[in-house]
Amino acid sequence: MQIKNVVLSVSLAATAAALPAIESNTFNVITIHSGSNVQYASFNAAKSSIFAGLSSQNASCARPKEQIATFYLNNEALYLYDESATPQELYVDRSGMGQGKIGYTTGAQPAPMNAERVGWAIKDEHLQFAGSDLIACPNSIGGSWSIWASTGVAHPGGNSNCVGIAARAIETSTPNGCLYTQ
Ligand SMILES: *[C@@H]1O[C@H](CO)[C@@H](O)[C@H](O)[C@H]1NC(C)=O
């Protein structure tokens, strides 16, 4: 009972200060697109971008052998999970230049011009931005797929053969804390 009260007051304090919520549920993401090579590939984070099917993230992790990214949501903002105080927060650039580019900033780094940080949600177990499913484009680093938000551009960033995916969020109670590369 007493412990419960402490946890509750800590989480209320965090909400009040608008800090990334340490109490939020952490999750990994796998892509679902039947009949495509990107079916059941895990989301990765590296070089301030999000990928699927990357064999090596080169992140600094509590469990270094694992090569998948761990996320959590707080007030429609999306973060990469770590135990350290350096937050890594995702953004989306839906401008004509960005075409739905998804990136992340590290620590106090400001979001780039036109970037939006708020608008993430999990709907029917699928991670979405601004109410839309995400897009995966092949032939990125190491044969992986780059992950984009949907802006009505079917093949963003000069890519070809992109496919719409369902980004299935899978909750994890043993999140691997990582600092991902910039
Ligand atoms: C990870 O490091 C290896 C070896 O330096 C490099 O070849 C590879 O491109 C890196 N991958 C990423 C995603 O940074």
Side-chain angles (χ1 to χ4, degrees):
M1 190 62 189
Q2 224 155 10
I3 288 171
K4 213 173 178 182
N5 286 339
V6 170
V7 170
L8 181 63
S9 59
V10 165
S11 70
L12 285 176
T15 306
L19 293 170
I22 44 176
E23 76 278 14
S24 292
N25 296 341
T26 49
F27 57 92
N28 307 118
V29 178
I30 58 164
T31 60
I32 299 178
H33 180 96
S34 321
S36 147
N37 289 338
V38 76
Q39 170 86 319
Y40 301 138
S42 289
F43 270 24
N44 321 102
K47 299 187 168 179
S48 300
S49 296
I50 301 299
F51 303 90
L54 192 62
S55 57
S56 179
Q57 299 180 120
N58 297 337
S60 304
C61 299
R63 296 194 300 271
K65 285 183 186 159
E66 297 177 15
Q67 301 297 332
I68 63 177
T70 306
F71 303 88
Y72 64 93
L73 279 169
N74 183 28
N75 292 328
E76 290 188 39
L78 183 62
Y79 298 85
L80 291 160
Y81 172 79
D82 199 2
E83 282 139 32
S84 88
T86 305
Q88 294 191 299
E89 182 176 358
L90 281 84
Y91 67 81
V92 174
D93 182 347
R94 292 193 291 171
S95 70
M97 287 283 287
Q99 299 193 331
K101 185 197 158 42
I102 299 176
Y104 58 85
T105 55
T106 298
Q109 241 175 36
M113 192 169 69
N114 300 321
E116 298 169 85
R117 294 196 195 267
V118 172
W120 294 99
I122 294 176
K123 192 177 173 224
D124 299 333
E125 301 187 319
H126 295 159
L127 179 66
Q128 297 186 329
F129 185 80
S132 294
D133 279 329
L134 307 179
I135 292 173
C137 299
N139 304 314
S140 194
I141 306 176
S144 68
W145 298 66
S146 57
I147 303 299
W148 301 73
S150 174
T151 63
V153 178
H155 305 284
N159 286 292
S160 44
N161 301 319
C162 303
V163 293
I165 55 162
R168 171 81 192 274
I170 299 173
E171 208 171 300
T172 173
S173 55
T174 54
N176 187 18
C178 296
L179 181 64
Y180 299 90
T181 58
Q182 299 182 44

